[in-house]
Amino acid sequence: MIKDSIVDGFHNAPHRSLYHALGLTEEDMKRPLIGIVSSYNEIVPGHINLDKIAQAVKLGVAMAGGTPIMFPAITVCDGIAMGHTGMKYSLVTRDLIADSTEAMVRAHGFDGLVMIPNCDKNVPGLLMAAARLNIPTVFVSGGPMLAGRVGGEKRSLSSMFEAVGAYKAGKIDEKKLTEFEQKVCPTCGSCSGMYTANSMNCLTEVLGMGLRGNGTIPAVYSARIELAKHAGMQVMELVKKNIRPRDIMTASAFKNAITADMALGCSTNSMLHLPAIANECNIPFDLDEVNAISEKTPNLCHLAPAGPTYMEDLNEAGGVYAVLKELDGLGLLDTSVMTCTGKTLGENIASAENLDTSVIRTPDNPFGKTGGIAVLKGNLAPNGCVVKRAAVAEEMLVHEGPAKVYESEEEAISAIYAGKIVKGDVVVIRYEGPAGGPGMREMLSPTSAIAGMGLDKDVALITDGRFSGATRGASIGHVSPEAVSGGAIAYVKDGDIISIDIPAYKIELKVSQEELEKRKKEMPIKRKEVDGYLKRYSRLVSSADKGAILL
């Protein structure tokens, strides 16, 4: 065991003395030392319950003969950080989480790990760390929030942001806005739709790093505590069998994850996180392969914001395993891959059953014949950009209109609320990319304002930044190369015609190459003055098509 090099022998007596200072007994030191990476804090709704999850995990580890030791990982609440400078510090925490977890584990010699994340960058950050460290690891998230109810209908955080747009448009009054505010987030947990946190927790199951129910069992259910105990017990099995993350997260496992992503209708942010996790596993990730997989994968789920169902409904319908069972019936998965259960994916899903075909549609009656995410390319985004196709209205799948260009999210929001955006427009928000933002802000406010004002079927948004998993409509993000790197988006002008063809995976700026070259000489690149961590991050971060990894 790894910890033996720290506690065995006379020369390690000083180390043992410090373990005694922790209250560990000699018996504790003889057992495998299991790190419990808890993201508990009192500012993020998805993490306020993780103290209970961590205690259950520790009990499971102890029951199975291990010694659990807990240490923390940070996280940012994207909802609270949304729409202001705080959002610059969201994506960047993914690497802080991976780096700090690596430092803690390497410094203290753990034999195995149980990761307890729940939110947007916290989940991929810990998956990156797990791949990097490559010691036996199991994930158990804090679970999704239950949906709220307003006017007898299920609602979620995206409904709240859209309600702000509706209020600004005079469609609802202050009393109704307050009702939304008080009811859309009724419990702890990750927000109740198929947003980024829940997308990544579901994909953790598909990758084989989380037990059944990791992505869907609601945070407030007692079954979540049982799951945490089983995660603690299961990591001990992985330690005994020496099954490690890179044995589980193989190239085939990532293809399975992309396939499930398409069927579930996951957040576009998965197209940032899956490449970053694959990079830690030394596995190439080609965005072009996403469309190839999408072409043969039906979209089986329309969870909020794409539709009226929520994570609690997916859980009752059979969860992620039921979706995988439907996909396996089409021969779309490699079920021979190993998982953290110690069994193959095929063995895991053998008994799964689709219990509600209104939530998980069957392949002969899908929401769409192709997957929920599309990667578009063209002269505006030579290296690609991403859209959540499953959440785009039919009439916006193909669109052409004049550009309205803004240099920041704040500028765009002001224009939207001032009524400067009209039907047919293509809103372009630039200098919000990984390096140019810096931090690649998630922009739920402008997309929600557009939707709340009833323009989501008439207006497209394009950015080198990114959009929330809670976003719906023709919202196209991750434009690469980004503006600060001299990408074509830096040279778009008001009135330029932009053509979008999502079924054909194309996006074009109707401006000649000669004109673009001329503009490059006339329009200087704009760089924002930043300091601290953001300054270092902007110098090191790669483009979005590479997963915004640090180089």
Side-chain angles (χ1 to χ4, degrees):
M1 290 186 289
I2 298 170
K3 68 115 173 72
D4 290 345
S5 63
I6 296 175
V7 300
D8 284 0
F10 74 92
H11 57 287
N12 281 325
H15 301 81
R16 293 195 296 274
S17 72
L18 291 167
Y19 281 138
H20 283 300
L22 297 173
L24 297 187
T25 65
E26 291 182 9
E27 291 82 1
D28 289 326
M29 293 182 221
K30 292 177 181 177
R31 299 172 183 142
L33 193 63
I34 307 299
I36 314 298
V37 189
S38 172
S39 303
Y40 169 74
N41 62 64
E42 296 182 339
I43 188 60
V44 183
H47 293 240
I48 193 70
N49 65 320
L50 297 192
D51 55 340
K52 298 177 179 63
I53 300 295
Q55 290 304 316
V57 169
K58 290 173 70 176
L59 182 58
V61 169
M63 288 165 62
T67 298
I69 302 287
M70 185 168 60
F71 64 89
I74 64 166
T75 193
V76 165
C77 176
D78 278 23
I80 294 174
M82 195 72 64
H84 59 91
T85 301
M87 182 48 73
K88 292 179 182 289
Y89 288 88
S90 173
L91 179 60
V92 304
T93 64
R94 188 185 69 182
D95 297 275
L96 281 175
I97 291 162
D99 291 349
S100 59
T101 302
E102 175 194 357
M104 287 294 289
V105 174
R106 295 289 191 219
H108 299 106
F110 292 102
D111 298 302
L113 298 167
V114 179
M115 306 288 204
I116 311 177
N118 211 29
C119 284
D120 296 37
K121 313 310 166 300
N122 187 242
V123 182
L126 289 178
L127 282 166
M128 290 164 67
R132 192 183 299 174
L133 292 161
N134 202 34
I135 62 174
T137 303
V138 177
F139 275 67
V140 56
S141 76
M145 185 184 291
L146 293 178
R149 282 171 172 76
V150 179
E153 295 183 13
K154 287 184 178 180
R155 300 288 188 174
S156 61
L157 184 63
S158 56
S159 306
M160 181 70 253
F161 277 87
E162 290 179 15
V164 174
Y167 175 75
K168 289 288 291 186
K171 294 186 175 184
I172 62 172
D173 59 18
E174 187 175 354
K175 181 179 179 181
K176 193 67 176 180
L177 182 67
T178 301
E179 183 182 4
F180 271 91
E181 178 184 332
Q182 294 174 345
K183 293 182 177 180
V184 295
C185 297
T187 71
C188 62
S190 50
C191 296
S192 55
M194 187 56 82
Y195 309 152
T196 306
N198 291 326
S199 294
M200 292 310 302
N201 281 323
C202 287
L203 295 181
T204 299
E205 280 192 59
V206 185
L207 284 169
M209 292 298 292
L211 301 179
R212 182 175 188 171
N214 177 70
T216 61
I217 298 172
V220 293
Y221 282 14
S222 297
R224 176 62 56 179
I225 299 298
E226 295 180 32
L227 182 71
K229 290 178 183 175
H230 283 128
M233 289 186 273
Q234 186 57 32
V235 75
M236 295 302 297
E237 288 298 311
L238 298 184
V239 169
K240 291 175 186 175
K241 297 176 180 178
N242 196 30
I243 298 174
R244 305 183 183 196
R246 291 188 208 170
D247 300 324
I248 295 170
M249 291 192 286
T250 61
S252 292
F254 279 98
K255 288 181 181 179
N256 287 344
I258 298 170
T259 303
D261 189 317
M262 296 300 157
L264 287 164
C266 290
S267 163
T268 52
N269 283 313
S270 63
M271 293 299 104
L272 281 176
H273 301 322
L274 288 176
I277 300 162
N279 178 68
E280 296 291 350
C281 295
N282 296 316
I283 294 172
F285 191 101
D286 186 355
L287 273 183
D288 290 335
E289 192 170 19
V290 171
N291 288 341
I293 291 174
S294 176
E295 280 296 323
K296 57 186 179 182
T297 306
N299 178 222
L300 304 180
C301 299
H302 259 196
L303 289 100
T309 53
Y310 294 80
M311 296 306 296
E312 62 199 67
D313 302 311
L314 179 58
N315 188 63
E316 295 301 318
V320 173
Y321 277 21
V323 176
L324 296 180
K325 190 68 177 287
E326 296 286 9
L327 295 174
D328 186 41
L330 297 174
L332 296 178
L333 300 174
D334 181 347
T335 57
S336 68
V337 295
M338 177 54 62
T339 71
C340 70
T341 65
K343 300 177 181 178
T344 66
L345 183 64
E347 291 174 298
N348 287 347
I349 67 174
S351 62
E353 183 180 354
N354 185 350
L355 303 175
D356 189 341
T357 56
S358 68
V359 178
I360 305 171
R361 288 197 178 180
T362 55
D364 59 354
N365 181 37
F367 285 102
K369 293 181 180 180
T370 53
I373 289 177
V375 176
L376 314 183
K377 287 190 174 182
N379 68 340
L380 186 57
N383 296 341
C385 55
V386 180
V387 62
K388 189 172 183 176
R389 171 167 46 186
V392 179
E394 185 73 25
E395 50 267 56
M396 286 299 292
L397 289 172
V398 177
H399 179 76
E400 187 170 291
K404 293 277 183 71
V405 184
Y406 302 97
E407 307 297 315
S408 69
E409 178 185 9
E410 288 83 358
E411 282 190 17
I413 283 285
S414 296
I416 293 167
Y417 285 151
K420 295 181 180 180
I421 307 302
V422 298
K423 290 184 178 182
D425 282 346
V426 178
V427 177
V428 176
I429 307 173
R430 63 191 177 197
Y431 292 104
E432 291 287 4
M440 201 179 186
R441 284 194 288 182
E442 184 174 278
M443 290 178 275
L444 179 56
S445 295
T447 58
S448 298
I450 289 288
M453 296 171 81
L455 292 171
D456 57 298
K457 296 181 180 180
D458 303 289
V459 171
L461 293 95
I462 298 174
T463 183
D464 54 4
R466 60 195 178 91
F467 292 117
S468 168
T471 289
R472 63 185 173 95
S475 303
I476 301 166
H478 308 194
V479 170
S480 300
E482 62 176 293
V484 79
S485 299
I489 192 172
Y491 307 110
V492 181
K493 290 185 176 180
D494 284 343
D496 287 346
I497 301 300
I498 295 176
S499 173
I500 301 163
D501 189 337
I502 295 173
Y505 307 112
K506 292 181 178 179
I507 185 166
E508 293 290 335
L509 174 65
K510 296 294 188 71
V511 172
S512 69
Q513 187 60 39
E514 291 76 16
E515 174 62 18
L516 281 177
E517 292 301 323
K518 179 183 175 184
R519 292 182 187 182
K520 288 179 182 180
K521 298 175 182 177
E522 299 171 346
M523 300 171 65
I525 296 296
K526 299 176 182 179
R527 301 183 185 277
K528 297 172 185 174
E529 289 294 325
V530 292
D531 55 18
Y533 179 48
L534 290 181
K535 186 174 184 178
R536 297 197 303 276
Y537 184 87
S538 66
R539 289 174 175 173
L540 297 173
V541 69
S542 75
S543 60
D545 62 296
K546 302 298 183 186
I549 59 174
L550 297 187
L551 300 175

